[in-house]
Amino acid sequence: SIQRHMKAQHALKILKKTNEMYKSSNDENIKPTLFTYNVVIDACAMCNGNSEQQGAALKIAFAVNKAISAAKLEQNSITYGTLLKAAGRLLPQGSQRSDIISAVFDKCRQKGYVDQNVVKSLEQASDRNTYYQLMQVACDRNGHLHHETIPKEWTKNVKHLNFTKRN
């Protein structure tokens, strides 16, 4: 079994190998898909280890995110939710984490991929102030989120919008 702090490097190695195989064979059946890239980002998010190892895993997650665009694919709500999860798990609380989370969420919002998974990941990854700052338009005076007030622009590319009421 792979050591948990090495998951990101191992997943990246598999992605690179798959990409090389695809490029040398041009076999569409082995071309990495968005799902493949998202799985690698998730492996990064699950990395345990010291702050240096977690920092390396976060760098890999964002490099893989860049590779999605380079592969002429488009990130989706799973990509953004997983990047939020990675930032929340791999960075200590503070301004750097808040800035990265804000940047990822802004991109997600602009692209119209805010779904229940993204909102949940945002809530878990960020401190209260960052969360309310980003979700302000959809929250009431007490800070409670009202899914029906999330701007339609934010969700325009979500295939199955399913915000369920939570107690």
Side-chain angles (χ1 to χ4, degrees):
S1 125
I2 300 155
Q3 290 180 311
R4 295 231 11 207
H5 71 273
M6 293 301 292
K7 266 188 170 174
Q9 287 84 349
H10 187 71
L12 180 63
K13 198 188 293 183
I14 292 170
L15 177 63
K16 283 180 172 175
K17 186 100 178 120
T18 309
N19 238 330
E20 287 165 16
M21 286 167 62
Y22 165 66
K23 283 180 177 153
S24 66
S25 70
N26 260 342
D27 181 352
E28 288 293 318
N29 293 319
I30 56 173
K31 182 180 183 180
T33 62
L34 182 59
F35 177 82
T36 316
Y37 289 94
N38 286 343
V39 167
V40 177
I41 294 170
D42 193 55
C44 294
M46 301 315 265
C47 174
N48 286 344
N50 61 35
S51 60
E52 197 177 305
Q53 291 160 335
Q54 290 187 320
L58 190 67
K59 279 193 178 108
I60 291 170
F62 280 93
V64 170
N65 180 51
K66 267 196 173 128
I68 290 171
S69 303
K72 300 195 178 8
L73 296 168
E74 189 181 333
Q75 292 86 345
N76 64 11
S77 54
I78 293 168
T79 314
Y80 293 114
T82 309
L83 285 168
L84 289 168
K85 179 169 114 180
R89 287 194 82 239
L90 301 173
L91 284 171
Q93 252 187 343
S95 61
Q96 184 191 18
R97 178 160 118 184
S98 294
D99 290 350
I100 289 172
I101 286 168
S102 297
V104 170
F105 186 75
D106 284 342
K107 189 81 170 168
C108 180
R109 200 170 53 189
Q110 287 162 18
K111 295 282 186 177
Y113 281 110
V114 177
D115 69 359
Q116 189 173 7
N117 170 49
V118 169
V119 171
K120 187 178 172 201
S121 296
L122 176 67
E123 191 176 7
Q124 290 171 345
S126 56
D127 58 67
R128 283 178 87 81
N129 287 348
T130 304
Y131 178 77
Y132 290 128
Q133 205 175 345
L134 295 170
M135 294 302 294
Q136 199 171 15
V137 297
C139 290
D140 63 25
R141 284 184 317 183
N142 301 319
H144 297 294
L145 179 68
H146 296 281
H147 296 108
E148 61 279 2
T149 60
I150 291 175
K152 296 277 176 270
E153 270 298 288
W154 294 15
T155 61
K156 66 183 179 210
N157 289 313
V158 177
K159 287 196 175 40
H160 306 289
L161 193 58
N162 180 20
F163 285 111
T164 52
K165 294 267 182 251
R166 283 193 300 186
N167 305 355

